[in-house]
Amino acid sequence: MDNLMLASVFSMAGLAILFAAILGVADKKLKVEEDPKVDAINHLLPGVNCGACGFLSCHDFAEHIVAEGVDPGKCRVVEAEAKQKICEISGIEGGESHQEIPLVHCAAETEQKEPIAEYNGIKTCLAANLNFSAGIACQYACLAFGDCVRECPFGALVMENGLPKLDQEKCTGCGKCATTCPKGIIKMQAKKREKLFYVSCSSHDTVLRTRQVCKVGCITCGICVKLSQEGFFELTDNLSNADYSKQDKPEEIEKIQAKCPTKVIKTI
Amino acid sequence: MVGLILIFIAASITNNFVLTYFLGICPFIGVSNKVESAIGLGVATTFVMTMAATVTWLIYHYILVPFNLVFLQYVTFIIVIASFVQFVEMFIRKVSPPLYKALGIFLPLITTNCAILGLTLFMILRNYSFLESVIFGLGAGVGFTIALVVMAGIREELVFSDVPEPLKGAGITLIIAGMLALAFMGFGGIISG
């Protein structure tokens, strides 16, 4: 018995050392010279491989910065200081980027979602969306199973009262939540000013239908359009849309916001 | 001699690892988008298979059997396969960076390609001699390459065809894999075993 154990230990160790030696030699002989800049930039990048820049990984992005002069500003996650260093290393100007944040275009909290059926299926938004929106009357409503919360690599979203809540400190604007949402009610928007106003509803249903199924949806009364001379809002397809490029006068929009009958215009 | 040729044809065509035994399906589906990368992966896998068959045969018959360590065969085989895959990875990275990029994760994943472990286990099970094992490994690799390249060729053409919406992507790929397997069944009558 002892012999068997010794034999197995020694033969395995011997084989392992043999292969390790072969690989060690091969590693020396077949070493690939890599641009040291790539490595330096790769260390500065966050390394979360979120894909928001449009490249496969942080390493891939670093390679493209060095080889093709891709704008380092495409990375939305990296901090300004590190971005500065990346620009110095690669010799590229720029790196200016606007932080984008996800806007949830639904305001209905759990008790405001009118049920028409009981849903006992798989507890993900994706599955629920295939099953008649998990028994919620409004087919544009947030399903609240939190696919976006699970998808977020930075833990910036939490489900609260049937709606995902954003922690702006943690959010890097990678946009994964927006692509995950099966309802498509999360949209990414650049936050250029202190306050961002948006219409927190996605319903393209008629006024009557929206009224029936939701108390906090946009009912297309048009008061926001009438009150704003400069076209802060416009009505399309039974829904009011905020024009994000015209929000440099927050006081005026706040007045309109107060007049909205269903209080569907939100600030973030 | 005839025996060797028979083993080669059996391993590569009649008992094709992918299309008859359904081993190594993951790279078969994953890397069959382009003929070029399919050939690359096919050649890499063939190399690993041949070398693995050669080395595992030697280790099995000169180390494991004399010392009564046959129970360690799985671990040993995996070590051998993993080492060769590492070697191939380094080699391809040095020689052809574009191929290295095109293969991506599937290159290190050759390690977990069950066709290779299957090959070494079949080889032991069937009591092949040394030369037979080498030919068996080579044949299996060639068979894997054939399956991959045929699949890639079809999938390249598939881009232009009108596939029904629900079958697009993985669905139609699996259907084609099934049809290919059926077609390969036709070779079954040539040789048995």
Side-chain angles (χ1 to χ4, degrees):
Chain A
M1 193 59 213
D2 280 349
N3 274 340
L4 191 65
M5 202 170 122
L6 277 179
S8 47
V9 168
F10 279 112
S11 59
M12 278 292 125
L15 283 174
I17 291 169
L18 177 71
F19 284 117
I22 294 173
L23 284 180
V25 173
D27 190 36
K28 282 268 163 4
K29 294 263 179 210
L30 296 171
K31 202 169 173 62
V32 178
E33 289 297 327
E34 202 176 43
D35 197 333
K37 281 182 189 170
V38 174
D39 212 33
I41 293 177
N42 193 26
H43 273 293
L44 288 169
L45 289 173
V48 284
N49 299 332
C50 66
C53 55
F55 295 97
L56 293 176
S57 62
C58 288
H59 188 265
D60 193 35
F61 183 47
E63 277 180 4
H64 279 82
I65 292 176
V66 173
E68 292 163 26
V70 174
D71 184 5
K74 283 195 171 171
C75 181
R76 296 172 188 159
V77 185
V78 74
E79 278 164 22
E81 203 176 312
K83 201 176 275 180
Q84 196 68 39
K85 277 187 192 158
I86 294 173
C87 289
E88 277 168 28
I89 294 170
S90 58
I92 299 167
E93 294 287 313
E96 186 77 15
S97 64
H98 281 294
Q99 163 91 30
E100 282 195 351
I101 53 168
L103 301 181
V104 182
H105 292 265
C106 176
E109 295 182 339
T110 314
E111 62 270 22
Q112 285 155 340
K113 287 172 186 162
E114 201 71 38
I116 47 169
E118 197 179 334
Y119 178 72
N120 283 323
I122 304 164
K123 301 234 177 300
T124 66
C125 302
L126 191 62
N129 187 34
L130 296 171
N131 284 302
F132 308 101
S133 299
I136 298 169
C138 174
Q139 54 165 319
Y140 300 95
C142 171
L143 299 167
F145 287 113
D147 281 14
C148 47
V149 176
R150 278 187 294 277
E151 191 69 17
C152 181
F154 308 98
L157 289 168
V158 245
M159 247 331 150
E160 239 171 56
N161 247 337
L163 282 176
K165 204 155 190 274
L166 179 71
D167 183 344
Q168 290 192 50
E169 295 273 291
K170 288 183 185 164
C171 179
T172 60
C174 71
K176 281 202 160 182
C177 47
T179 37
T180 304
C181 181
K183 288 282 181 199
I185 57 174
I186 301 181
K187 294 193 181 98
M188 300 304 293
Q189 190 57 50
K191 193 179 181 186
K192 295 175 186 167
R193 298 181 189 85
E194 187 81 348
K195 280 177 177 170
L196 188 62
F197 297 90
Y198 68 104
V199 179
S200 186
C201 179
S202 307
S203 174
H204 293 297
D205 280 334
T206 56
V207 185
L208 189 68
R209 170 84 185 149
T210 310
R211 274 237 130 136
Q212 276 171 352
V213 298
C214 182
K215 288 185 186 70
V216 290
C218 173
I219 50 168
T220 4
C221 61
I223 198 157
C224 49
V225 180
K226 269 175 231 154
L227 286 175
S228 59
Q229 296 88 4
E230 294 169 50
F232 300 131
F233 296 92
E234 57 172 352
L235 292 180
T236 38
D237 295 339
N238 290 326
L239 185 63
S240 169
N241 288 302
D243 189 337
Y244 299 108
S245 60
K246 291 178 184 163
Q247 297 193 345
D248 40 6
K249 288 174 192 156
E251 309 82 36
E252 286 190 28
I253 305 177
E254 265 167 7
K255 276 180 213 157
I256 300 168
Q257 194 179 17
K259 292 269 163 63
C260 177
T262 50
K263 298 280 176 282
V264 73
I265 301 172
K266 306 271 179 197
T267 327
I268 192 161
Chain B
M1 191 60 206
V2 179
L4 291 182
I5 295 172
L6 283 184
I7 286 178
F8 182 81
I9 293 177
S12 60
I13 296 174
T14 51
N15 288 339
N16 188 299
F17 270 73
V18 179
L19 296 171
T20 314
Y21 290 138
F22 289 99
L23 295 171
I25 292 294
C26 169
F28 176 63
I29 301 295
V31 196
S32 55
N33 293 321
K34 279 191 202 150
V35 172
E36 267 173 49
S37 49
I39 293 176
L41 188 78
V43 171
T45 311
T46 307
F47 174 79
V48 174
M49 278 179 157
T50 317
M51 292 311 285
T54 313
V55 175
T56 47
W57 193 91
L58 290 174
I59 290 177
Y60 185 82
H61 286 279
Y62 290 109
I63 298 177
L64 298 188
V65 174
F67 292 107
N68 281 329
L69 297 173
V70 179
F71 63 91
L72 283 175
Q73 59 175 340
Y74 294 94
V75 187
T76 321
F77 293 173
I78 287 291
I79 293 178
V80 173
I81 294 165
S83 310
F84 277 110
V85 172
Q86 281 293 312
F87 181 77
V88 170
E89 194 182 344
M90 288 178 201
F91 185 75
I92 292 183
R93 199 172 168 203
K94 175 83 178 175
V95 177
S96 167
L99 183 63
Y100 179 75
K101 270 212 176 124
L103 294 179
I105 186 69
F106 286 100
L107 196 52
L109 274 186
I110 298 177
T111 313
T112 53
N113 188 335
C114 50
I116 300 174
L117 185 65
L119 165 104
T120 54
L121 294 176
F122 277 139
M123 179 186 90
I124 301 303
L125 208 66
R126 293 176 188 172
N127 278 324
Y128 281 152
S129 72
F130 179 64
L131 204 57
E132 282 173 337
S133 300
V134 177
I135 296 295
F136 183 55
L138 187 67
V142 170
F144 185 79
T145 313
I146 291 175
L148 216 61
V149 171
V150 169
M151 189 66 174
I154 295 175
R155 281 181 72 178
E156 276 190 356
E157 295 297 316
L158 201 66
V159 176
F160 304 108
S161 56
D162 185 21
V163 181
E165 196 62 38
L167 291 182
K168 271 185 184 159
I172 192 76
T173 312
L174 289 173
I175 290 175
I176 290 171
M179 284 200 253
L180 268 181
L182 259 171
F184 265 68
M185 288 281 176
F187 290 116
I190 302 178
I191 312 157
S192 54

Coordinates of all heavy atoms in Angstrom, one line a residue, chain B residues 112-170:
Chain B
T112 N -10.2 21.3 -22.5 CA -11.4 20.6 -22.0 C -12.2 20.0 -23.2 O -13.4 19.6 -23.0 CB -12.3 21.6 -21.3 OG1 -12.5 22.8 -22.2 CG2 -11.6 22.1 -20.0
N113 N -11.6 20.0 -24.4 CA -12.3 19.3 -25.5 C -12.4 17.8 -25.2 O -11.4 17.1 -25.1 CB -11.5 19.5 -26.8 CG -12.2 19.1 -28.0 OD1 -13.1 18.2 -27.9 ND2 -11.9 19.7 -29.1
C114 N -13.6 17.3 -25.0 CA -13.8 15.9 -24.5 C -13.3 15.0 -25.6 O -13.0 13.8 -25.4 CB -15.2 15.7 -24.1 SG -16.4 16.2 -25.3
A115 N -13.3 15.4 -26.9 CA -12.8 14.5 -28.0 C -11.4 14.0 -27.7 O -11.1 12.9 -28.0 CB -12.9 15.3 -29.3
I116 N -10.6 14.9 -27.1 CA -9.2 14.5 -26.9 C -9.0 13.5 -25.7 O -8.4 12.5 -25.9 CB -8.3 15.8 -26.6 CG1 -8.4 16.7 -27.9 CG2 -6.9 15.4 -26.4 CD1 -7.7 18.0 -27.7
L117 N -9.7 13.8 -24.6 CA -9.7 12.8 -23.5 C -10.3 11.5 -24.0 O -9.9 10.4 -23.7 CB -10.4 13.4 -22.3 CG -10.3 12.5 -21.1 CD1 -8.9 12.4 -20.6 CD2 -11.2 13.0 -19.9
G118 N -11.4 11.7 -24.8 CA -12.1 10.5 -25.3 C -11.2 9.7 -26.1 O -11.1 8.4 -26.0
L119 N -10.4 10.3 -27.0 CA -9.4 9.7 -27.8 C -8.4 8.8 -27.0 O -8.2 7.6 -27.3 CB -8.7 10.7 -28.6 CG -7.4 10.3 -29.3 CD1 -7.7 10.2 -30.8 CD2 -6.3 11.3 -29.1
T120 N -7.9 9.5 -26.0 CA -6.9 8.7 -25.2 C -7.5 7.5 -24.5 O -6.9 6.5 -24.4 CB -6.2 9.6 -24.2 OG1 -7.2 10.2 -23.4 CG2 -5.4 10.7 -24.8
L121 N -8.7 7.7 -24.0 CA -9.4 6.6 -23.3 C -9.8 5.5 -24.3 O -9.6 4.3 -23.9 CB -10.6 7.1 -22.6 CG -10.3 8.1 -21.4 CD1 -11.5 8.6 -20.8 CD2 -9.4 7.4 -20.4
F122 N -10.3 5.8 -25.5 CA -10.6 4.8 -26.5 C -9.4 4.0 -26.8 O -9.4 2.8 -26.9 CB -11.1 5.5 -27.8 CG -12.5 5.8 -27.7 CD1 -13.0 7.1 -28.2 CD2 -13.5 5.0 -27.2 CE1 -14.3 7.4 -28.2 CE2 -14.8 5.3 -27.2 CZ -15.2 6.5 -27.7
M123 N -8.2 4.7 -26.9 CA -7.0 4.1 -27.3 C -6.6 3.0 -26.3 O -6.2 2.0 -26.7 CB -6.0 5.3 -27.4 CG -4.6 4.9 -27.7 SD -3.7 6.5 -27.5 CE -3.2 6.3 -25.8
I124 N -6.7 3.3 -25.0 CA -6.4 2.4 -24.0 C -7.4 1.2 -24.0 O -7.0 0.0 -24.0 CB -6.4 3.0 -22.6 CG1 -5.4 4.2 -22.5 CG2 -6.1 2.0 -21.5 CD1 -4.0 3.9 -22.9
L125 N -8.7 1.6 -24.2 CA -9.7 0.6 -24.1 C -9.6 -0.4 -25.2 O -9.8 -1.6 -25.1 CB -11.1 1.3 -24.3 CG -12.3 0.7 -23.7 CD1 -12.1 0.7 -22.2 CD2 -13.5 1.5 -24.1
R126 N -9.1 0.0 -26.4 CA -9.0 -0.9 -27.6 C -7.7 -1.6 -27.7 O -7.4 -2.2 -28.7 CB -9.3 -0.1 -28.8 CG -10.8 0.4 -28.9 CD -11.0 1.3 -30.1 NE -12.3 1.9 -30.1 CZ -12.6 2.8 -31.0 NH1 -11.8 3.2 -31.9 NH2 -13.8 3.4 -30.9
N127 N -6.8 -1.4 -26.7 CA -5.5 -2.0 -26.7 C -4.7 -1.8 -28.0 O -4.2 -2.7 -28.6 CB -5.7 -3.5 -26.5 CG -5.8 -3.8 -25.0 OD1 -5.2 -3.2 -24.2 ND2 -6.7 -4.8 -24.7
Y128 N -4.7 -0.6 -28.4 CA -3.9 -0.3 -29.6 C -2.4 -0.3 -29.3 O -2.0 0.0 -28.2 CB -4.2 1.2 -30.1 CG -5.5 1.3 -30.9 CD1 -6.2 2.5 -30.9 CD2 -6.0 0.2 -31.6 CE1 -7.4 2.6 -31.6 CE2 -7.2 0.3 -32.3 CZ -7.9 1.5 -32.3 OH -9.0 1.6 -33.0
S129 N -1.6 -0.7 -30.4 CA -0.2 -0.7 -30.2 C 0.3 0.8 -30.4 O -0.5 1.6 -30.7 CB 0.5 -1.6 -31.3 OG 0.3 -0.9 -32.6
F130 N 1.6 1.0 -30.2 CA 2.1 2.4 -30.3 C 1.8 3.1 -31.6 O 1.2 4.1 -31.6 CB 3.6 2.4 -30.0 CG 4.2 3.8 -30.0 CD1 3.8 4.7 -29.1 CD2 5.1 4.1 -31.0 CE1 4.3 6.0 -29.2 CE2 5.6 5.4 -31.1 CZ 5.2 6.3 -30.1
L131 N 2.1 2.3 -32.7 CA 2.0 2.9 -34.0 C 0.5 3.2 -34.3 O 0.1 4.2 -34.8 CB 2.6 2.0 -35.1 CG 3.0 2.7 -36.4 CD1 3.9 3.8 -36.1 CD2 3.6 1.7 -37.3
E132 N -0.3 2.2 -33.9 CA -1.8 2.3 -34.1 C -2.3 3.5 -33.4 O -3.2 4.3 -33.9 CB -2.5 1.1 -33.6 CG -2.4 -0.1 -34.6 CD -3.0 -1.4 -34.0 OE1 -3.0 -1.5 -32.7 OE2 -3.4 -2.3 -34.7
S133 N -1.8 3.8 -32.2 CA -2.3 4.9 -31.4 C -2.0 6.2 -32.0 O -2.8 7.1 -32.1 CB -1.7 4.9 -30.0 OG -2.0 3.7 -29.3
V134 N -0.8 6.3 -32.6 CA -0.4 7.6 -33.2 C -1.3 7.8 -34.4 O -1.8 8.9 -34.6 CB 1.1 7.5 -33.7 CG1 1.5 8.8 -34.5 CG2 2.0 7.3 -32.5
I135 N -1.5 6.8 -35.2 CA -2.4 6.9 -36.4 C -3.8 7.2 -36.0 O -4.5 8.1 -36.6 CB -2.3 5.6 -37.2 CG1 -0.9 5.3 -37.8 CG2 -3.3 5.7 -38.4 CD1 -0.5 6.4 -38.8
F136 N -4.2 6.6 -34.9 CA -5.6 6.9 -34.4 C -5.7 8.3 -34.0 O -6.7 9.0 -34.4 CB -5.8 6.0 -33.2 CG -7.2 6.1 -32.6 CD1 -8.3 5.9 -33.3 CD2 -7.3 6.4 -31.2 CE1 -9.6 5.9 -32.8 CE2 -8.6 6.4 -30.6 CZ -9.7 6.2 -31.4
G137 N -4.7 8.9 -33.3 CA -4.7 10.3 -32.9 C -4.8 11.2 -34.1 O -5.6 12.1 -34.2
L138 N -3.9 10.9 -35.1 CA -3.9 11.7 -36.3 C -5.2 11.6 -37.0 O -5.8 12.7 -37.4 CB -2.7 11.2 -37.2 CG -2.4 12.0 -38.4 CD1 -1.8 13.3 -38.0 CD2 -1.4 11.3 -39.3
G139 N -5.7 10.4 -37.2 CA -7.0 10.3 -37.9 C -8.1 11.0 -37.2 O -8.9 11.7 -37.8
A140 N -8.2 10.9 -35.8 CA -9.2 11.6 -35.1 C -9.1 13.1 -35.3 O -10.1 13.8 -35.5 CB -9.1 11.3 -33.6
G141 N -7.8 13.6 -35.3 CA -7.6 15.1 -35.5 C -8.1 15.5 -36.9 O -8.8 16.5 -37.1
V142 N -7.7 14.7 -37.9 CA -8.2 15.0 -39.3 C -9.7 15.0 -39.4 O -10.3 15.8 -40.0 CB -7.5 14.0 -40.3 CG1 -8.1 14.1 -41.7 CG2 -6.0 14.2 -40.4
G143 N -10.3 14.0 -38.7 CA -11.8 13.9 -38.7 C -12.4 15.1 -38.1 O -13.4 15.7 -38.6
F144 N -11.8 15.6 -37.0 CA -12.3 16.8 -36.3 C -12.2 18.0 -37.2 O -13.1 18.8 -37.4 CB -11.5 17.0 -35.0 CG -11.9 18.1 -34.2 CD1 -13.0 18.0 -33.3 CD2 -11.3 19.3 -34.2 CE1 -13.5 19.0 -32.6 CE2 -11.7 20.4 -33.4 CZ -12.8 20.2 -32.6
T145 N -11.0 18.1 -37.9 CA -10.8 19.2 -38.9 C -11.9 19.1 -40.0 O -12.4 20.2 -40.3 CB -9.4 19.1 -39.4 OG1 -8.5 18.9 -38.4 CG2 -9.1 20.4 -40.1
I146 N -12.1 17.9 -40.5 CA -13.0 17.8 -41.6 C -14.4 18.3 -41.2 O -15.1 19.1 -41.8 CB -13.2 16.3 -42.1 CG1 -11.9 15.9 -42.8 CG2 -14.3 16.2 -43.1 CD1 -11.9 14.4 -43.2
A147 N -14.9 17.8 -40.0 CA -16.2 18.2 -39.5 C -16.3 19.7 -39.3 O -17.2 20.3 -39.8 CB -16.4 17.5 -38.2
L148 N -15.2 20.3 -38.8 CA -15.2 21.7 -38.5 C -15.2 22.5 -39.8 O -16.0 23.5 -39.9 CB -13.9 22.1 -37.7 CG -14.1 23.1 -36.6 CD1 -15.1 22.7 -35.6 CD2 -12.7 23.3 -36.0
V149 N -14.4 22.1 -40.8 CA -14.3 22.9 -42.0 C -15.6 22.8 -42.8 O -16.1 23.8 -43.4 CB -13.1 22.4 -42.8 CG1 -13.1 23.1 -44.2 CG2 -11.8 22.8 -42.1
V150 N -16.2 21.5 -42.9 CA -17.5 21.4 -43.6 C -18.5 22.3 -43.0 O -19.3 23.0 -43.7 CB -17.9 19.9 -43.5 CG1 -19.3 19.8 -44.1 CG2 -17.0 19.0 -44.4
M151 N -18.6 22.2 -41.6 CA -19.6 23.0 -40.9 C -19.4 24.5 -41.2 O -20.3 25.3 -41.5 CB -19.4 22.8 -39.4 CG -20.5 23.4 -38.6 SD -22.1 22.6 -39.0 CE -23.1 23.4 -37.8
A152 N -18.1 25.0 -41.2 CA -17.8 26.4 -41.4 C -18.2 26.8 -42.8 O -18.7 27.9 -43.1 CB -16.3 26.7 -41.1
G153 N -17.9 25.9 -43.8 CA -18.3 26.2 -45.2 C -19.7 26.4 -45.3 O -20.2 27.3 -45.9
I154 N -20.5 25.5 -44.7 CA -22.0 25.6 -44.8 C -22.4 26.9 -44.1 O -23.3 27.6 -44.6 CB -22.7 24.4 -44.1 CG1 -22.3 23.1 -44.9 CG2 -24.2 24.6 -44.1 CD1 -22.8 21.9 -44.3
R155 N -21.8 27.2 -42.9 CA -22.3 28.4 -42.2 C -22.0 29.7 -42.9 O -22.7 30.7 -42.8 CB -21.8 28.4 -40.8 CG -22.6 27.4 -39.9 CD -22.1 27.4 -38.5 NE -22.4 28.6 -37.8 CZ -22.1 28.8 -36.5 NH1 -21.5 27.9 -35.9 NH2 -22.4 29.9 -35.9
E156 N -20.8 29.6 -43.7 CA -20.5 30.8 -44.5 C -21.6 31.1 -45.5 O -21.9 32.2 -45.8 CB -19.1 30.7 -45.1 CG -18.0 31.1 -44.1 CD -16.7 31.2 -44.8 OE1 -16.6 30.9 -46.0 OE2 -15.7 31.5 -44.1
E157 N -22.0 30.0 -46.1 CA -23.1 30.1 -47.2 C -24.4 30.5 -46.6 O -25.2 31.2 -47.2 CB -23.2 28.8 -48.0 CG -22.0 28.4 -48.8 CD -21.7 29.5 -49.8 OE1 -22.6 29.9 -50.5 OE2 -20.5 29.8 -50.0
L158 N -24.6 30.0 -45.3 CA -25.9 30.2 -44.7 C -26.2 31.7 -44.5 O -27.4 32.1 -44.4 CB -25.8 29.5 -43.3 CG -27.1 29.1 -42.6 CD1 -27.8 28.1 -43.5 CD2 -26.8 28.6 -41.2
V159 N -25.2 32.5 -44.4 CA -25.4 34.0 -44.2 C -26.3 34.5 -45.2 O -27.1 35.4 -45.0 CB -24.0 34.7 -44.2 CG1 -24.2 36.2 -44.1 CG2 -23.2 34.2 -43.1
F160 N -26.2 34.0 -46.5 CA -27.0 34.5 -47.6 C -28.4 33.9 -47.7 O -29.1 34.3 -48.6 CB -26.2 34.4 -48.9 CG -24.9 35.0 -48.8 CD1 -23.7 34.2 -48.8 CD2 -24.7 36.3 -48.8 CE1 -22.5 34.7 -48.7 CE2 -23.5 36.9 -48.7 CZ -22.3 36.1 -48.7
S161 N -28.6 32.9 -46.9 CA -29.9 32.2 -47.1 C -31.0 32.7 -46.2 O -30.7 33.4 -45.2 CB -29.7 30.7 -46.9 OG -29.2 30.5 -45.7
D162 N -32.2 32.4 -46.6 CA -33.4 32.9 -45.9 C -33.8 32.0 -44.8 O -34.5 31.0 -45.1 CB -34.5 33.2 -46.9 CG -35.7 33.8 -46.3 OD1 -35.5 34.5 -45.2 OD2 -36.8 33.7 -46.8
V163 N -33.3 32.2 -43.6 CA -33.6 31.3 -42.5 C -34.8 31.8 -41.7 O -34.9 33.0 -41.5 CB -32.4 31.2 -41.5 CG1 -32.7 30.2 -40.4 CG2 -31.2 30.8 -42.3
P164 N -35.8 30.9 -41.4 CA -37.0 31.4 -40.7 C -36.5 32.1 -39.3 O -35.6 31.6 -38.7 CB -37.8 30.1 -40.4 CG -37.3 29.2 -41.4 CD -35.9 29.5 -41.8
E165 N -37.2 33.1 -39.0 CA -36.8 33.9 -37.8 C -36.5 33.1 -36.5 O -35.4 33.3 -35.9 CB -37.9 35.0 -37.5 CG -37.5 36.1 -36.6 CD -36.4 37.0 -37.2 OE1 -36.4 37.2 -38.5 OE2 -35.5 37.4 -36.4
P166 N -37.4 32.2 -36.1 CA -37.1 31.5 -34.8 C -35.9 30.6 -34.9 O -35.4 30.2 -33.9 CB -38.4 30.7 -34.6 CG -39.4 31.1 -35.6 CD -38.6 31.8 -36.7
L167 N -35.5 30.2 -36.1 CA -34.4 29.2 -36.2 C -33.0 29.9 -36.4 O -32.0 29.2 -36.4 CB -34.6 28.3 -37.4 CG -35.8 27.3 -37.3 CD1 -35.9 26.5 -38.5 CD2 -35.6 26.5 -36.0
K168 N -33.0 31.2 -36.5 CA -31.7 31.9 -36.7 C -30.8 31.7 -35.6 O -31.2 31.6 -34.4 CB -32.0 33.4 -36.9 CG -32.3 33.7 -38.3 CD -32.4 35.2 -38.6 CE -32.8 35.4 -40.0 NZ -33.4 36.7 -40.3
G169 N -29.5 31.6 -35.9 CA -28.4 31.5 -34.9 C -28.2 30.0 -34.5 O -28.0 29.2 -35.4
A170 N -28.4 29.8 -33.2 CA -28.0 28.5 -32.7 C -28.9 27.4 -33.3 O -28.5 26.3 -33.6 CB -28.1 28.5 -31.2

